[in-house]
Amino acid sequence: MSTAYPFSAVVGLADLRQALLLNAVAPVIGGVLVRGEKGTAKSTMVRALAALLPDIAVVAGCRFACDPAAPDPGCPDGPHPAGDPLVRRSRLVELPVGATEDRVVGTLDVQRFLTEGTKAYEPGLLAAAHRGALYVDEVNLLPDHLVDLLLDSAAMGRAFVERDGVSLRHAARFLLVGTMNPEEGEPRPQLVDRFGLVVEVGAPTEPGDRAEVVRRRLAYEADPEGFAARFAEADADTAERIVAARARLPKVTLPDPALDRIARICLAYGVDGLRADIVIARTAVALAAWRDRSVVTDREVDDAARLALPHRRRRDPFDPPGADQQALDDALAQAGESEAPDGPGPEPDDPGPNDGGARPDGPQPDDRGPSEGGPGPDDPRPDAGGPGSGGAAAPDAEDRPGGAPATAPPATPAPIGATYRTRTLTARSRGRYGHSGRRSPAYAARGRVAGSRAPRGRIGALHLPDTVLAAARDHLVERIGAVHLPDTAPARVRDRRGRRIVIRQQHLREAVHIGREANLVLFVVDASGSMAARQRMATVKRAVLSLLRDAYQRRDTVGMITFRDRDATTVLRPTASHEVGVRRLADLRTGGRTPLAAGLTAAARTLAGERRRDPLRRPLLVVVTDGRFTRGPDPRTVAPALAGVPSVVVDCESGPVRLGMARTLAGALDAEYLPLAALSARALKAV
């Protein structure tokens, strides 16, 4: 076994160090989510913590690591006979991104069921991690339903199994740590909120610290055991401190003034629900135990809030994470000012909040409602919104005689108004085992069981009834030669007369699930002179931003191509980072002629490359244009290059005279035609 990098040898990362140690003292806090760019020692720190966790005593032979002093009365392996306990190290269980639900929570032991006729349960990773640590690298890439399972178990301390005819529950208390790189996409805010603490990490910014990191890493690689020995004493002291803090934890008192301060901080910060209050209270108690204090003070409350609150701010999903530090400082200051005169104040060594300008309480540029001249939340009309929308739009530059521009192109990009809920755009056909998501119907690894089929390679989920029926139809009721399933003993089931029905490999049936998949949503946006009227482009940007939000909520990958003047530009290559798309959309400028064919050609080229890179992810092409073209060939000549690609044409033509060219383009692409005014879910409901 290789020597792990010592916990005490990691340079810097004070917040991450504290968050991990507090969860080691009190796993009930709910785990730690570590956000940081690649190469910032996230995984190194987590794996190093496992060596500091204290040894545990378990019941010998129990697959669920029951404590001999207080065994779980509902343990599936219980009741446990009296005997000598087994002492072993706490485990660090790693959950890979490709894990399936049955591997996480456990499933029916198929081998024992088929060979012995016994309905037995095979434990999963949650059972293996009980009383230890569960580490999920790249948690933002893990399917949402698996993250829900992990967080529910971490919060309740129990795992519930309801699958494959198995119904049971077992203890699952563990230190949950997830790491992620924001460049690979953000998890849903609802999932982030379920983690107790969230820590942002980054590479050292001081030359001396960076040099020390490299020096220690090279020394570790040259002599792992010798390097670990240098920090063995410091790690041993930390491990002893964890054990002592665990023993003090039940004796720590959380007084009413501290609870009142927690409530005031959460109200001032504007969090949703009560989860933040509970997490801060648990973290403050763990901090007091770690600092060898018997009573929680304001210092513990404030330090706990700084770890538990930054990711819980009521904010737009597209706002950059971690942008509310000043708001948190203001909330701590406001909570201190509103305390009663006889309430406990901060300790002398308690650092006060930082001073600085808070975000104004008044409406921001993008917060305008209809009464303030801004568009309403569900009003996608081309003429509703944007500065200067009091009159009809001026004729486009390309529609005037001689091509003379009516107005100069805007010097700054058009603003984006408030978004609205859009109707669901989907691929009309059913996909084949694509990426799990919430957009288009598809055969999936999970979802409603729609039937069975002969397996194609490795079996995903065995459909037991159809497997047995397939064997029965062949009348295999006599004992014949040994017939083996892959990696199992001969499988036999008895009929009513007690004769054996032998199940051969050709009888195996795999369950077919129907669910929904995530798509690659590629936006092709017209940014030419025909869209240059400021109010029109503001409306189009608002519509595209609404579609981006919808793609974010449905776990899609997004890309964006714009076309104007002479050619098309890929402003956003397909990515899971929707925030980048929002920034590029905000900076989008307009003007020039309309090379619509070039935009479609660039889309075909992009989709072909993505199909080679990820053939399982189906595309959905969304073309936002008025259908006009003034440069290049007729866009209908490019349509064959996009044959078979599910497409939607959003027609943003407005004004009293309409040419209907977007509808013609939709016909050439065999695409769904959608006027911009019909994009809103409210407009669809009204129809």
Coordinates of all heavy atoms in Angstrom, one line a residue, residues 256-291:
D256 N -29.2 30.3 24.0 CA -30.3 30.9 23.2 C -29.8 32.2 22.5 O -30.1 32.5 21.3 CB -31.5 31.3 24.1 CG -32.3 30.1 24.5 OD1 -32.1 29.0 23.8 OD2 -33.0 30.1 25.5
P257 N -28.9 33.0 23.1 CA -28.4 34.2 22.4 C -27.6 33.8 21.1 O -27.7 34.5 20.1 CB -27.5 34.9 23.4 CG -28.0 34.5 24.7 CD -28.5 33.1 24.5
A258 N -26.9 32.7 21.1 CA -26.2 32.2 19.9 C -27.2 31.8 18.9 O -27.0 32.1 17.7 CB -25.3 31.1 20.3
L259 N -28.3 31.1 19.3 CA -29.3 30.7 18.3 C -30.0 31.9 17.7 O -30.3 32.0 16.5 CB -30.4 29.8 19.0 CG -30.0 28.3 19.2 CD1 -31.1 27.6 20.0 CD2 -29.9 27.7 17.8
D260 N -30.2 32.9 18.5 CA -30.8 34.2 18.0 C -29.9 34.8 17.0 O -30.4 35.4 16.0 CB -31.1 35.1 19.2 CG -32.2 34.6 20.1 OD1 -33.0 33.8 19.6 OD2 -32.3 35.1 21.2
R261 N -28.6 34.8 17.3 CA -27.7 35.4 16.3 C -27.6 34.7 15.0 O -27.6 35.3 13.9 CB -26.3 35.5 16.9 CG -25.2 36.1 16.1 CD -23.9 36.3 16.8 NE -22.9 36.9 15.9 CZ -22.8 38.2 15.7 NH1 -23.6 39.0 16.3 NH2 -21.8 38.7 14.9
I262 N -27.7 33.3 15.1 CA -27.8 32.5 13.9 C -29.0 32.9 13.0 O -28.9 33.1 11.8 CB -27.8 31.0 14.2 CG1 -26.4 30.6 14.8 CG2 -28.1 30.2 13.0 CD1 -26.4 29.2 15.4
A263 N -30.1 33.0 13.7 CA -31.4 33.4 13.0 C -31.2 34.8 12.3 O -31.7 35.0 11.2 CB -32.6 33.3 13.9
R264 N -30.7 35.7 13.1 CA -30.6 37.1 12.5 C -29.6 37.1 11.3 O -29.8 37.8 10.3 CB -30.1 38.1 13.6 CG -31.1 38.4 14.6 CD -30.7 39.6 15.4 NE -29.5 39.3 16.2 CZ -29.6 38.8 17.4 NH1 -30.7 38.6 18.0 NH2 -28.4 38.5 18.1
I265 N -28.5 36.3 11.4 CA -27.6 36.3 10.3 C -28.2 35.7 9.0 O -28.1 36.3 7.9 CB -26.3 35.5 10.7 CG1 -25.5 36.2 11.7 CG2 -25.5 35.2 9.5 CD1 -24.4 35.4 12.3
C266 N -29.0 34.6 9.2 CA -29.6 34.0 8.0 C -30.7 34.9 7.4 O -30.8 34.9 6.2 CB -30.2 32.6 8.4 SG -29.0 31.4 8.9
L267 N -31.4 35.6 8.3 CA -32.4 36.5 7.7 C -31.8 37.7 7.0 O -32.2 38.1 5.9 CB -33.3 37.0 8.9 CG -34.3 36.0 9.5 CD1 -35.0 36.6 10.7 CD2 -35.3 35.6 8.4
A268 N -30.7 38.2 7.6 CA -30.0 39.3 6.9 C -29.4 38.9 5.6 O -29.3 39.7 4.7 CB -29.0 39.9 7.9
Y269 N -28.9 37.7 5.5 CA -28.2 37.2 4.3 C -29.2 36.8 3.2 O -28.9 36.8 2.1 CB -27.3 36.1 4.7 CG -26.3 35.7 3.6 CD1 -25.4 36.6 3.2 CD2 -26.4 34.5 3.0 CE1 -24.5 36.3 2.2 CE2 -25.5 34.2 2.0 CZ -24.5 35.1 1.6 OH -23.6 34.8 0.6
G270 N -30.5 36.6 3.6 CA -31.5 36.3 2.7 C -31.5 34.8 2.1 O -31.6 34.6 0.9
V271 N -31.3 33.9 3.0 CA -31.3 32.5 2.6 C -32.7 31.9 2.6 O -33.6 32.4 3.2 CB -30.4 31.6 3.5 CG1 -29.0 32.1 3.5 CG2 -30.9 31.6 4.9
D272 N -32.9 30.9 1.8 CA -34.2 30.2 1.7 C -34.2 29.0 2.7 O -33.2 28.3 2.9 CB -34.4 29.6 0.3 CG -34.6 30.7 -0.7 OD1 -35.3 31.7 -0.3 OD2 -34.1 30.6 -1.8
G273 N -35.4 28.8 3.3 CA -35.5 27.6 4.2 C -34.7 27.8 5.5 O -34.2 28.8 5.9
L274 N -34.7 26.6 6.2 CA -34.1 26.6 7.6 C -32.8 25.7 7.6 O -32.2 25.6 8.7 CB -35.1 26.1 8.6 CG -36.3 27.0 8.9 CD1 -37.2 26.4 9.8 CD2 -35.8 28.3 9.5
R275 N -32.4 25.2 6.4 CA -31.3 24.3 6.4 C -30.0 25.0 6.9 O -29.2 24.5 7.6 CB -31.1 23.6 5.1 CG -29.9 22.7 5.0 CD -29.8 21.9 3.7 NE -30.9 21.0 3.5 CZ -31.8 21.0 2.5 NH1 -31.7 22.0 1.6 NH2 -32.7 20.1 2.4
A276 N -29.9 26.3 6.4 CA -28.7 27.1 6.8 C -28.6 27.3 8.3 O -27.5 27.2 8.9 CB -28.7 28.4 6.0
D277 N -29.7 27.6 8.9 CA -29.7 27.8 10.4 C -29.2 26.5 11.1 O -28.4 26.6 12.0 CB -31.1 28.1 10.9 CG -31.7 29.4 10.2 OD1 -31.8 29.3 9.0 OD2 -32.0 30.3 10.9
I278 N -29.7 25.4 10.7 CA -29.3 24.1 11.3 C -27.9 23.8 11.1 O -27.2 23.4 12.0 CB -30.2 23.0 10.8 CG1 -31.7 23.2 11.2 CG2 -29.8 21.6 11.3 CD1 -32.7 22.3 10.5
V279 N -27.4 24.0 9.9 CA -26.0 23.7 9.6 C -25.1 24.6 10.4 O -24.0 24.2 10.9 CB -25.7 23.8 8.1 CG1 -24.2 23.7 7.8 CG2 -26.4 22.7 7.3
I280 N -25.4 25.9 10.4 CA -24.6 26.8 11.2 C -24.5 26.4 12.7 O -23.5 26.4 13.3 CB -25.1 28.3 11.1 CG1 -24.9 28.7 9.6 CG2 -24.3 29.2 12.0 CD1 -25.5 30.1 9.4
A281 N -25.7 26.0 13.2 CA -25.7 25.6 14.6 C -24.8 24.4 14.8 O -24.0 24.3 15.8 CB -27.2 25.3 15.0
R282 N -24.9 23.4 14.0 CA -24.1 22.2 14.1 C -22.6 22.5 14.0 O -21.8 22.0 14.7 CB -24.5 21.1 13.1 CG -25.9 20.5 13.4 CD -26.4 19.7 12.2 NE -27.6 19.0 12.5 CZ -28.3 18.3 11.6 NH1 -27.9 18.3 10.3 NH2 -29.4 17.7 11.9
T283 N -22.3 23.3 13.0 CA -20.9 23.7 12.8 C -20.3 24.5 13.9 O -19.2 24.3 14.3 CB -20.8 24.5 11.5 OG1 -21.4 23.8 10.4 CG2 -19.3 24.7 11.1
A284 N -21.1 25.4 14.5 CA -20.7 26.2 15.6 C -20.4 25.3 16.8 O -19.4 25.5 17.6 CB -21.7 27.3 16.0
V285 N -21.2 24.3 17.1 CA -21.0 23.4 18.2 C -19.7 22.6 17.9 O -18.9 22.4 18.9 CB -22.2 22.4 18.4 CG1 -21.9 21.3 19.3 CG2 -23.4 23.2 18.8
A286 N -19.5 22.1 16.7 CA -18.3 21.4 16.4 C -17.0 22.3 16.6 O -16.0 21.8 17.0 CB -18.4 20.8 15.0
L287 N -17.2 23.5 16.2 CA -16.0 24.5 16.4 C -15.7 24.7 17.8 O -14.5 24.7 18.2 CB -16.4 25.8 15.7 CG -15.9 26.1 14.3 CD1 -16.5 27.3 13.8 CD2 -14.4 26.2 14.3
A288 N -16.7 24.8 18.7 CA -16.5 24.9 20.1 C -15.8 23.7 20.7 O -14.9 23.8 21.5 CB -17.8 25.2 20.8
A289 N -16.3 22.5 20.2 CA -15.6 21.3 20.7 C -14.2 21.2 20.2 O -13.3 20.8 21.0 CB -16.4 20.1 20.2
W290 N -13.9 21.6 19.0 CA -12.6 21.6 18.5 C -11.7 22.6 19.2 O -10.5 22.3 19.4 CB -12.6 22.0 17.0 CG -11.3 22.1 16.3 CD1 -10.6 23.2 16.0 CD2 -10.5 21.0 15.9 NE1 -9.4 22.8 15.4 CE2 -9.3 21.5 15.3 CE3 -10.6 19.6 15.9 CZ2 -8.3 20.7 14.8 CZ3 -9.6 18.8 15.4 CH2 -8.5 19.3 14.9
R291 N -12.2 23.7 19.7 CA -11.4 24.7 20.4 C -11.5 24.5 21.9 O -11.0 25.4 22.7 CB -12.0 26.1 20.1 CG -11.8 26.5 18.6 CD -12.5 27.8 18.2 NE -12.2 28.2 16.9 CZ -12.9 29.1 16.2 NH1 -13.9 29.8 16.8 NH2 -12.6 29.4 14.9

